[in-house]
Amino acid sequence: MALYNSFLATSIKQSAGNITFTTWKGKRVLKEKVTSYSDRKTPTQLNNRARLTIMSWAGAAFRNAYQNGFRKAAVGKTEYNVFASKEENYPLSSTTTSSVFNTLNPLNVKLSKGNLPVLENLQITGSGTADEWDINWDTTNPNVPADAQIQFVMAKQSRAISSGEEYSEDVDLGFNLIAYSVGSYTYQGKPGFDINVLLGYIVSQTANDVSDTVAVQST
């Protein structure tokens, strides 16, 4: 895909030969149709494809959380591009091989990037009821906007998996946005989430911004 700025081509649309004229993210682009494909299968290439597979599965599983969390960071790219970038989550898939697929370590997964203060003293503990957890956080930071809310996600620790559907089973997006000011929340989640990681970030509509992601292990 190539960018072009010629004023002579601003009215060209659709395809000509192997070239398609279109726009993407407000930019004029040229796309060339694939006429040949080399499907080499060296160990390095197979491992790279395995890493990309994990990123694709994770992208589907965490989509609703990172689409808002990376909205401002997605300049000239999609929110998934940011999520799967080398600056965010792609390095977490570096140990994936073509013979063993693993989920990303949720303690290190990033779902947001912004300028708001991060969640402080985030904790998650079992409340004594099956599949229920008590979540607590500090609400005393004066720099957090008054309308702030929290996006939470719960995920299982990484394990060997074999499909995107199986990956999605390890991620629970069943949280509504929760007011930052309340400081606590009791969550009834998916059955069987006995080993969990809680990820969260702050969202503010008035500031049009988010915080970076914080992750903690449940106890």
Side-chain angles (χ1 to χ4, degrees), residues 97-130:
T97 66
S98 58
S99 59
V100 179
F101 289 160
N102 293 289
T103 58
L104 308 183
N105 184 345
L107 278 172
N108 297 318
V109 166
K110 299 175 184 177
L111 300 173
S112 60
K113 186 178 183 65
N115 300 305
L116 295 182
V118 298
L119 279 167
E120 296 178 343
N121 298 319
L122 180 63
Q123 299 177 349
I124 175 171
T125 57
S127 64
T129 303

Short mmCIF file of all heavy atoms in Angstrom, two decimals, residues 97-130:
data_model
loop_
_atom_site.label_atom_id
_atom_site.label_comp_id
_atom_site.label_asym_id
_atom_site.label_seq_id
_atom_site.Cartn_x
_atom_site.Cartn_y
_atom_site.Cartn_z
N THR A 97 5.83 -20.54 19.51
CA THR A 97 6.39 -21.30 18.40
C THR A 97 5.25 -21.90 17.58
O THR A 97 4.11 -21.94 18.01
CB THR A 97 7.31 -22.44 18.90
OG1 THR A 97 6.51 -23.41 19.60
CG2 THR A 97 8.38 -21.90 19.82
N SER A 98 5.59 -22.38 16.39
CA SER A 98 4.57 -22.91 15.50
C SER A 98 3.94 -24.19 16.02
O SER A 98 2.86 -24.58 15.58
CB SER A 98 5.18 -23.17 14.12
OG SER A 98 6.27 -24.07 14.21
N SER A 99 4.58 -24.86 16.97
CA SER A 99 4.04 -26.12 17.49
C SER A 99 3.25 -25.95 18.78
O SER A 99 2.50 -26.83 19.15
CB SER A 99 5.19 -27.12 17.74
OG SER A 99 6.11 -26.58 18.67
N VAL A 100 3.43 -24.81 19.48
CA VAL A 100 2.72 -24.57 20.73
C VAL A 100 2.18 -23.15 20.73
O VAL A 100 2.94 -22.20 20.67
CB VAL A 100 3.64 -24.76 21.96
CG1 VAL A 100 2.86 -24.47 23.24
CG2 VAL A 100 4.21 -26.16 22.00
N PHE A 101 0.85 -23.02 20.79
CA PHE A 101 0.23 -21.70 20.89
C PHE A 101 -0.06 -21.40 22.35
O PHE A 101 -0.62 -22.23 23.06
CB PHE A 101 -1.08 -21.64 20.10
CG PHE A 101 -0.90 -21.68 18.61
CD1 PHE A 101 -1.95 -22.05 17.79
CD2 PHE A 101 0.31 -21.32 18.02
CE1 PHE A 101 -1.80 -22.06 16.41
CE2 PHE A 101 0.47 -21.34 16.66
CZ PHE A 101 -0.58 -21.71 15.84
N ASN A 102 0.30 -20.21 22.80
CA ASN A 102 0.04 -19.78 24.16
C ASN A 102 -0.64 -18.43 24.16
O ASN A 102 -0.44 -17.63 23.26
CB ASN A 102 1.34 -19.68 24.97
CG ASN A 102 1.98 -21.01 25.21
OD1 ASN A 102 1.48 -21.82 25.98
ND2 ASN A 102 3.10 -21.26 24.53
N THR A 103 -1.45 -18.17 25.18
CA THR A 103 -2.03 -16.83 25.31
C THR A 103 -0.95 -15.87 25.80
O THR A 103 0.05 -16.28 26.38
CB THR A 103 -3.19 -16.83 26.31
OG1 THR A 103 -2.72 -17.31 27.58
CG2 THR A 103 -4.32 -17.71 25.85
N LEU A 104 -1.15 -14.58 25.56
CA LEU A 104 -0.24 -13.58 26.10
C LEU A 104 -0.37 -13.56 27.61
O LEU A 104 -1.43 -13.84 28.17
CB LEU A 104 -0.59 -12.20 25.56
CG LEU A 104 -0.72 -12.04 24.04
CD1 LEU A 104 -1.00 -10.59 23.70
CD2 LEU A 104 0.53 -12.52 23.34
N ASN A 105 0.71 -13.23 28.29
CA ASN A 105 0.65 -13.12 29.75
C ASN A 105 -0.21 -11.91 30.11
O ASN A 105 0.18 -10.77 29.87
CB ASN A 105 2.06 -12.94 30.32
CG ASN A 105 2.07 -12.91 31.84
OD1 ASN A 105 1.04 -12.75 32.48
ND2 ASN A 105 3.25 -13.07 32.41
N PRO A 106 -1.40 -12.13 30.71
CA PRO A 106 -2.31 -11.00 30.94
C PRO A 106 -1.78 -9.96 31.92
O PRO A 106 -2.23 -8.82 31.91
CB PRO A 106 -3.58 -11.67 31.48
CG PRO A 106 -3.11 -12.98 32.03
CD PRO A 106 -1.97 -13.40 31.15
N LEU A 107 -0.82 -10.33 32.76
CA LEU A 107 -0.24 -9.35 33.68
C LEU A 107 0.50 -8.25 32.93
O LEU A 107 0.73 -7.17 33.47
CB LEU A 107 0.71 -10.03 34.66
CG LEU A 107 0.07 -10.70 35.88
CD1 LEU A 107 1.11 -11.51 36.65
CD2 LEU A 107 -0.58 -9.66 36.79
N ASN A 108 0.88 -8.52 31.68
CA ASN A 108 1.65 -7.55 30.90
C ASN A 108 0.87 -7.01 29.69
O ASN A 108 1.42 -6.20 28.93
CB ASN A 108 2.95 -8.19 30.41
CG ASN A 108 3.85 -8.60 31.56
OD1 ASN A 108 4.00 -7.87 32.52
ND2 ASN A 108 4.43 -9.79 31.47
N VAL A 109 -0.37 -7.44 29.51
CA VAL A 109 -1.15 -6.98 28.37
C VAL A 109 -1.50 -5.50 28.54
O VAL A 109 -1.86 -5.05 29.63
CB VAL A 109 -2.43 -7.82 28.21
CG1 VAL A 109 -3.41 -7.16 27.26
CG2 VAL A 109 -2.08 -9.21 27.70
N LYS A 110 -1.40 -4.74 27.45
CA LYS A 110 -1.75 -3.32 27.46
C LYS A 110 -3.00 -3.11 26.61
O LYS A 110 -3.06 -3.55 25.46
CB LYS A 110 -0.58 -2.49 26.91
CG LYS A 110 0.70 -2.63 27.71
CD LYS A 110 1.84 -1.88 27.06
CE LYS A 110 3.15 -2.09 27.80
NZ LYS A 110 4.29 -1.41 27.13
N LEU A 111 -3.99 -2.44 27.20
CA LEU A 111 -5.26 -2.20 26.53
C LEU A 111 -5.54 -0.73 26.31
O LEU A 111 -6.56 -0.37 25.72
CB LEU A 111 -6.41 -2.80 27.35
CG LEU A 111 -6.34 -4.31 27.60
CD1 LEU A 111 -7.44 -4.73 28.56
CD2 LEU A 111 -6.45 -5.07 26.29
N SER A 112 -4.65 0.13 26.81
CA SER A 112 -4.91 1.57 26.73
C SER A 112 -3.60 2.35 26.76
O SER A 112 -2.58 1.85 27.25
CB SER A 112 -5.79 2.02 27.89
OG SER A 112 -5.15 1.75 29.14
N LYS A 113 -3.68 3.57 26.26
CA LYS A 113 -2.51 4.47 26.29
C LYS A 113 -3.04 5.89 26.34
O LYS A 113 -3.76 6.32 25.44
CB LYS A 113 -1.63 4.26 25.06
CG LYS A 113 -0.33 5.04 25.08
CD LYS A 113 0.48 4.71 23.85
CE LYS A 113 1.83 5.43 23.87
NZ LYS A 113 2.69 4.97 24.97
N GLY A 114 -2.70 6.61 27.42
CA GLY A 114 -3.21 7.97 27.55
C GLY A 114 -2.48 8.77 28.60
O GLY A 114 -1.44 8.34 29.12
N ASN A 115 -3.06 9.91 28.96
CA ASN A 115 -2.39 10.84 29.86
C ASN A 115 -3.04 10.95 31.24
O ASN A 115 -2.53 11.68 32.10
CB ASN A 115 -2.37 12.23 29.22
CG ASN A 115 -1.63 12.24 27.89
OD1 ASN A 115 -0.48 11.84 27.81
ND2 ASN A 115 -2.32 12.68 26.84
N LEU A 116 -4.14 10.26 31.47
CA LEU A 116 -4.77 10.32 32.79
C LEU A 116 -3.96 9.52 33.79
O LEU A 116 -3.23 8.59 33.43
CB LEU A 116 -6.20 9.76 32.72
CG LEU A 116 -7.22 10.53 31.88
CD1 LEU A 116 -8.58 9.87 31.98
CD2 LEU A 116 -7.30 11.99 32.30
N PRO A 117 -4.07 9.84 35.09
CA PRO A 117 -3.37 9.05 36.11
C PRO A 117 -3.85 7.60 36.08
O PRO A 117 -5.03 7.33 35.83
CB PRO A 117 -3.77 9.73 37.42
CG PRO A 117 -4.20 11.11 37.04
CD PRO A 117 -4.82 10.99 35.68
N VAL A 118 -2.95 6.68 36.35
CA VAL A 118 -3.33 5.27 36.37
C VAL A 118 -4.07 4.94 37.66
O VAL A 118 -4.01 5.68 38.64
CB VAL A 118 -2.09 4.36 36.24
CG1 VAL A 118 -1.38 4.60 34.92
CG2 VAL A 118 -1.14 4.55 37.42
N LEU A 119 -4.77 3.79 37.64
CA LEU A 119 -5.43 3.31 38.85
C LEU A 119 -4.39 3.02 39.92
O LEU A 119 -3.37 2.38 39.65
CB LEU A 119 -6.21 2.04 38.54
CG LEU A 119 -7.58 2.21 37.90
CD1 LEU A 119 -8.08 0.87 37.37
CD2 LEU A 119 -8.56 2.79 38.91
N GLU A 120 -4.67 3.45 41.15
CA GLU A 120 -3.74 3.23 42.26
C GLU A 120 -4.35 2.25 43.26
O GLU A 120 -5.56 2.25 43.51
CB GLU A 120 -3.43 4.56 42.95
CG GLU A 120 -2.71 5.55 42.04
CD GLU A 120 -2.45 6.88 42.73
OE1 GLU A 120 -3.09 7.15 43.76
OE2 GLU A 120 -1.61 7.65 42.24
N ASN A 121 -3.48 1.40 43.83
CA ASN A 121 -3.86 0.42 44.85
C ASN A 121 -5.01 -0.47 44.40
O ASN A 121 -5.93 -0.78 45.17
CB ASN A 121 -4.24 1.13 46.16
CG ASN A 121 -3.09 1.92 46.74
OD1 ASN A 121 -1.94 1.47 46.73
ND2 ASN A 121 -3.37 3.12 47.23
N LEU A 122 -4.96 -0.89 43.13
CA LEU A 122 -5.98 -1.81 42.61
C LEU A 122 -5.78 -3.19 43.23
O LEU A 122 -4.67 -3.73 43.24
CB LEU A 122 -5.88 -1.88 41.09
CG LEU A 122 -6.88 -2.80 40.39
CD1 LEU A 122 -8.32 -2.32 40.62
CD2 LEU A 122 -6.56 -2.88 38.90
N GLN A 123 -6.86 -3.79 43.73
CA GLN A 123 -6.80 -5.10 44.37
C GLN A 123 -8.03 -5.91 43.97
O GLN A 123 -9.12 -5.36 43.79
CB GLN A 123 -6.76 -4.98 45.89
CG GLN A 123 -5.56 -4.24 46.44
CD GLN A 123 -5.60 -4.09 47.95
OE1 GLN A 123 -6.62 -4.37 48.58
NE2 GLN A 123 -4.50 -3.63 48.53
N ILE A 124 -7.85 -7.22 43.85
CA ILE A 124 -8.97 -8.12 43.61
C ILE A 124 -8.81 -9.35 44.50
O ILE A 124 -7.76 -9.99 44.50
CB ILE A 124 -9.09 -8.52 42.12
CG1 ILE A 124 -10.20 -9.55 41.94
CG2 ILE A 124 -7.77 -9.01 41.56
CD1 ILE A 124 -10.53 -9.84 40.50
N THR A 125 -9.83 -9.66 45.28
CA THR A 125 -9.78 -10.79 46.22
C THR A 125 -11.07 -11.60 46.13
O THR A 125 -12.14 -11.06 45.83
CB THR A 125 -9.62 -10.30 47.67
OG1 THR A 125 -10.69 -9.41 48.00
CG2 THR A 125 -8.30 -9.58 47.84
N GLY A 126 -10.96 -12.90 46.39
CA GLY A 126 -12.14 -13.74 46.44
C GLY A 126 -13.01 -13.37 47.62
O GLY A 126 -12.50 -13.14 48.72
N SER A 127 -14.32 -13.30 47.40
CA SER A 127 -15.22 -12.86 48.46
C SER A 127 -15.83 -14.00 49.28
O SER A 127 -16.60 -13.76 50.19
CB SER A 127 -16.37 -12.04 47.85
OG SER A 127 -17.14 -12.87 47.01
N GLY A 128 -15.48 -15.24 48.92
CA GLY A 128 -16.05 -16.38 49.62
C GLY A 128 -17.21 -17.01 48.89
O GLY A 128 -17.65 -18.11 49.21
N THR A 129 -17.74 -16.34 47.88
CA THR A 129 -18.81 -16.89 47.05
C THR A 129 -18.21 -17.37 45.74
O THR A 129 -17.33 -16.73 45.18
CB THR A 129 -19.87 -15.81 46.77
OG1 THR A 129 -20.37 -15.32 48.00
CG2 THR A 129 -21.02 -16.38 45.94
N ALA A 130 -18.70 -18.51 45.25
CA ALA A 130 -18.14 -19.08 44.03
C ALA A 130 -18.22 -18.09 42.88
O ALA A 130 -19.26 -17.48 42.62
CB ALA A 130 -18.91 -20.35 43.67
#
